[in-house]
Amino acid sequence: MTKRDYYEVLGVDKNASDQQIKAAYKKLAIKYHPDRNPGNKEAEEKFKEAAEAYDVLHDPEKRQRYDQFGHEGLNGMGGFSGGQGFDMNDIFSAFSDIFNGGGFGGGFSGFSNFGGGQQRGRKPVFRGRDQRMRVQLDLSEIVNGTTKKFKVKKDVVCSHCNGSGSADGKTDTCGTCKGSGYVLRQQRSILGMMQTQSVCTACNGEGTTIKNKCQYCHGEGIVPGESIEEIKFPAGLQEGMVLTLEGKGGAGRHKGINGDLQIVISEKAHPELLRDGNDIVYNLLLTIPQATLGCQVEVPTVDGKAKLTIEPGTQPGTVLRLRGKGIPEVQGYNRGHKGDELVNISIYVPQTLTKDQKKAMESFANSSEFTPNESMKKKIFEKFKALFD
């Protein structure tokens, strides 16, 4: 089934502010909330669809990727948009700020009655911290792709307690929630008296407590550490792009799930070549005799040198194209398609001449071959004009 556009789902335009997006989601969440639509599968799907749209559009990084690449650009980013199944409790847990005290009258929670049965709150699975690092790639690595190894400092599983946080491996049932991880309470709401659930504060929803905590991790199950990560960089990356490696971030406490490792790409400037999108630009400086008489030259490319024939009478501003010598497209329909290397012709005019050189140049001053006619003037002007289009 094809996913609908997230802006269309929430009923906002692409320039909507974060407040407008939040307000739109709130409105839909109230309309399709399970407590108001018991047993209604269509309302439940719309409730999930709105949550998925909000998950993306309220997150600046996800929204940028979605605006640029659509649904495909969100693969591997996690959350509801990452292609994994999710249920109602995922939504209530992720957006607890909205469902608790966020304009819902306090009557809605992630544990209310819907679908014909009482939903038991799931015990939390702790997620480790995301790691973020910046990696600089040179032009050759961007064009060809590369693999690099890095030492990443992050939280790792405590080896002394195997991540449990308990020195002897034992835990006790929480006396407050009796091991359920949540507590029940009666509350009056706009829908009448409702029974709601909230996370047990005594055990943080785990249902267990630790009496004899591990002295090395202080009961957390994680300690500061590091790992060596081998990272593959695909060809065609750009400045500011972010690679997300799921599960390569910090370890989650009490045998939770790992966070992600986010790699921010920066480009190292090349001493001779410039990048323009997927094209590479080189400025070739010719002497007056070379441009006038024509010649054979070598120009640098990312992978070495390329021979180029300069035709007699080549004008400054002429652009010669070396096809396929540019940067490949990293994603989308043209993925793998390479740009070109554009060789811009410039003419070097000497600033000082000897007496004989000056005399030789003066002999050409009044020659018709060295004076542009109207047709040539117009042609040169059109090339100049094109620079500003």
Side-chain angles (χ1 to χ4, degrees):
M1 182 178 177
T2 303
K3 288 186 177 182
R4 285 204 297 157
D5 178 77
Y6 288 143
Y7 292 99
E8 178 186 338
V9 170
L10 296 184
V12 298
D13 60 43
K14 290 193 174 183
N15 296 320
S17 67
D18 188 60
Q19 286 300 318
Q20 289 172 321
I21 289 171
K22 188 171 185 178
Y25 171 55
K26 236 183 225 189
K27 183 178 179 181
L28 291 175
I30 291 175
K31 181 177 180 181
Y32 296 115
H33 195 283
D35 288 331
R36 286 192 169 182
N37 303 273
N40 188 333
K41 294 297 294 183
E42 182 180 355
E44 182 178 328
E45 291 305 313
K46 287 185 179 295
F47 186 77
K48 289 181 178 181
E49 184 183 45
E52 182 177 330
Y54 179 68
D55 175 56
V56 171
L57 299 185
H58 93 291
D59 184 301
E61 183 181 344
K62 289 182 181 179
R63 184 176 181 180
Q64 181 183 2
R65 289 285 294 274
Y66 177 70
D67 288 345
Q68 189 172 2
F69 304 113
H71 293 291
E72 290 184 359
L74 301 171
N75 292 335
M77 293 199 74
F80 306 146
S81 58
Q84 302 295 323
F86 65 97
D87 61 23
M88 292 296 187
N89 285 322
D90 291 318
I91 298 172
F92 292 117
S93 176
F95 307 134
S96 58
D97 61 322
I98 291 181
F99 291 102
N100 292 314
F104 281 72
F108 297 111
S109 76
F111 309 98
S112 54
N113 248 347
F114 62 85
Q118 179 71 22
Q119 296 291 316
R120 292 182 61 84
R122 296 187 304 171
K123 294 180 181 179
V125 176
F126 297 104
R127 188 177 189 277
R129 288 185 295 181
D130 291 339
Q131 305 291 124
R132 195 174 181 91
M133 59 185 294
R134 182 173 292 274
V135 174
Q136 188 177 66
L137 302 178
D138 62 34
L139 194 54
S140 177
E141 292 170 329
I142 289 172
V143 170
N144 300 304
T146 187
T147 299
K148 291 175 173 284
K149 289 184 178 181
F150 299 93
K151 183 182 290 185
V152 181
K153 293 185 180 298
K154 61 183 181 181
D155 291 331
V156 298
V157 174
C158 176
S159 60
H160 298 278
C161 65
N162 294 319
S164 69
S166 173
D168 54 12
K170 296 178 181 179
T171 57
D172 297 322
T173 300
C174 176
T176 302
C177 66
K178 304 299 186 289
S180 67
Y182 62 93
V183 291
L184 299 174
R185 62 192 177 97
Q186 294 286 336
Q187 182 175 353
R188 187 176 298 279
S189 73
I190 58 175
L191 301 177
M193 188 64 70
M194 294 179 59
Q195 180 173 273
T196 62
Q197 296 176 130
S198 59
V199 174
C200 176
T201 57
C203 65
N204 293 320
E206 292 185 78
T208 58
T209 57
I210 300 173
K211 183 178 293 184
N212 187 14
K213 293 183 179 181
C214 172
Q215 62 177 320
Y216 298 96
C217 65
H218 307 290
E220 295 297 300
I222 54 175
V223 293
E226 61 184 27
S227 67
I228 302 298
E229 302 294 342
E230 185 174 86
I231 302 171
K232 183 177 181 180
F233 297 89
L237 293 173
Q238 298 179 27
E239 176 81 26
M241 276 189 170
V242 179
L243 298 180
T244 300
L245 306 181
E246 294 184 346
K248 295 297 185 179
R253 60 189 295 265
H254 293 176
K255 299 183 179 181
I257 60 175
N258 291 353
D260 298 334
L261 176 59
Q262 298 175 336
I263 311 295
V264 183
I265 303 300
S266 66
E267 297 184 26
K268 182 179 180 181
H270 191 280
E272 296 180 285
L273 303 173
L274 299 175
R275 178 174 184 171
D276 182 20
N278 286 341
D279 291 331
I280 291 173
V281 181
Y282 175 68
N283 188 61
L284 177 61
L285 190 60
L286 298 176
T287 65
I288 293 176
Q290 283 178 315
T292 303
L293 303 175
C295 60
Q296 290 280 337
V297 297
E298 281 190 342
V299 296
T301 67
V302 171
D303 297 319
K305 299 282 187 179
K307 290 185 177 181
L308 204 58
T309 299
I310 305 300
E311 298 294 333
T314 296
Q315 300 297 314
T318 298
V319 176
L320 305 178
R321 187 180 295 269
L322 299 176
R323 297 198 176 276
K325 293 291 186 180
I327 299 169
E329 182 68 42
V330 69
Q331 53 195 339
Y333 293 110
N334 293 322
R335 184 175 182 178
H337 176 76
K338 277 192 170 185
D340 304 325
E341 179 169 335
L342 308 178
V343 181
N344 179 69
I345 303 298
S346 296
I347 307 297
Y348 174 69
V349 178
Q351 294 179 310
T352 58
L353 296 173
T354 66
K355 185 176 181 180
D356 290 341
Q357 290 169 339
K358 187 175 181 181
K359 190 173 183 179
M361 290 298 292
E362 287 174 344
S363 67
F364 298 130
N366 297 320
S367 173
S368 61
E369 286 78 9
F370 281 81
T371 303
N373 55 33
E374 290 303 316
S375 176
M376 182 57 69
K377 287 181 180 179
K378 184 175 181 181
K379 187 176 181 180
I380 292 174
F381 176 74
E382 290 300 323
K383 286 185 177 182
F384 173 75
K385 182 181 176 183
L387 295 175
F388 298 90
D389 291 341

